[in-house]
Amino acid sequence: MKVIVVGCGRVGSTLAGLLATEGHDVRVVDRRPKAARRLPDSPHIRFHEGNGYSRAVLQAAGIEHTDAFVAVTSGDNSNIVCARTAKETYRVPIVVARIYDPRRADIYRELGIPSIASVRWTVHQIHQMLLHRHLGPELTFGNGETLLIRSEVPAYLIGRRLTEFDVDGEIRVVEVTRAGRSLIPAHSASAQEGDLVTFAVAATALGRLRGFLDKELGT
């Protein structure tokens, strides 16, 4: 992908470095020229000095041919202006913005821009880690409302249909790794010994999922 990252603080520079190691073409924009020192030495990264909502700067960074745009400056107002410019003016396919004030999340949502709310996400992650320390999420969506959890199937569930684990609107089996191979289970598929099951689960239903998985232990 060709990605523009606006904001070269800890988040922006780390993200740029990660994308570069994966071979993506990354352009980083920051109004502070010294911020470029945070970036790793990589042929896949190019730094552009200026504001992330300046059309001249964005065009110099190649926004007209960009696949994704990420706004992670230290200011909510700047991020939303940058993100709107990328989405509405240049029609960038993927636009993501960071926000510090969770109350502004609705603004982004109404604009169709996915956002990472730092405080809300961090608090939610810590809370879930404390309550459900044995159910570490593989992936989270939104602000942590939905998670992907992987777990071995307890012995007492072997032989039962995987659809029996589903709870409408709360828990669903979306993948099974069996003998090293991944598969999307058929409706009639049954759990086998050694299965590693991926659940899509609402954060509010983690307690219920834990109950399914811990039942055999009596906890």
Side-chain angles (χ1 to χ4, degrees), residues 100-190:
Y100 291 86
D101 184 353
R103 294 172 296 180
R104 300 190 182 194
D106 290 339
I107 297 175
Y108 286 86
R109 192 173 295 112
E110 290 172 3
L111 295 172
I113 299 172
S115 62
I116 303 300
S118 304
V119 174
R120 179 186 295 173
W121 188 87
T122 301
V123 170
H124 179 82
Q125 288 297 98
I126 293 173
H127 179 247
Q128 295 304 328
M129 288 177 184
L130 292 174
L131 289 181
H132 308 287
R133 60 189 180 278
H134 301 303
L135 297 180
E138 296 283 324
L139 188 63
T140 63
F141 300 92
N143 289 310
E145 296 90 352
T146 303
L147 310 92
L148 289 185
I149 301 289
R150 303 193 82 194
S151 175
E152 283 193 30
V153 176
Y156 87 96
L157 293 175
I158 292 173
R160 294 173 60 176
R161 289 198 307 170
L162 291 167
T163 52
E164 292 183 39
F165 304 167
D166 293 351
V167 178
D168 194 33
E170 294 187 341
I171 301 171
R172 180 152 303 178
V173 174
V174 295
E175 182 271 350
V176 176
T177 299
R178 179 174 293 166
R181 298 186 63 184
S182 176
L183 58 95
I184 304 298
H187 184 75
S188 59
S190 299

Side-chain angles (χ1 to χ4, degrees), residues 33-44:
K34 292 183 179 179
R37 298 175 183 173
R38 292 179 177 268
L39 296 170
D41 184 15
S42 169
H44 297 291

Side-chain angles (χ1 to χ4, degrees), residues 1-4 25 59 61-68 90 92-93:
M1 292 191 300
K2 293 184 178 180
V3 185
I4 291 179
D25 179 9
Q59 288 173 2
I63 194 168
E64 294 172 335
H65 305 287
T66 292
D67 300 301
Y90 295 100
V92 177

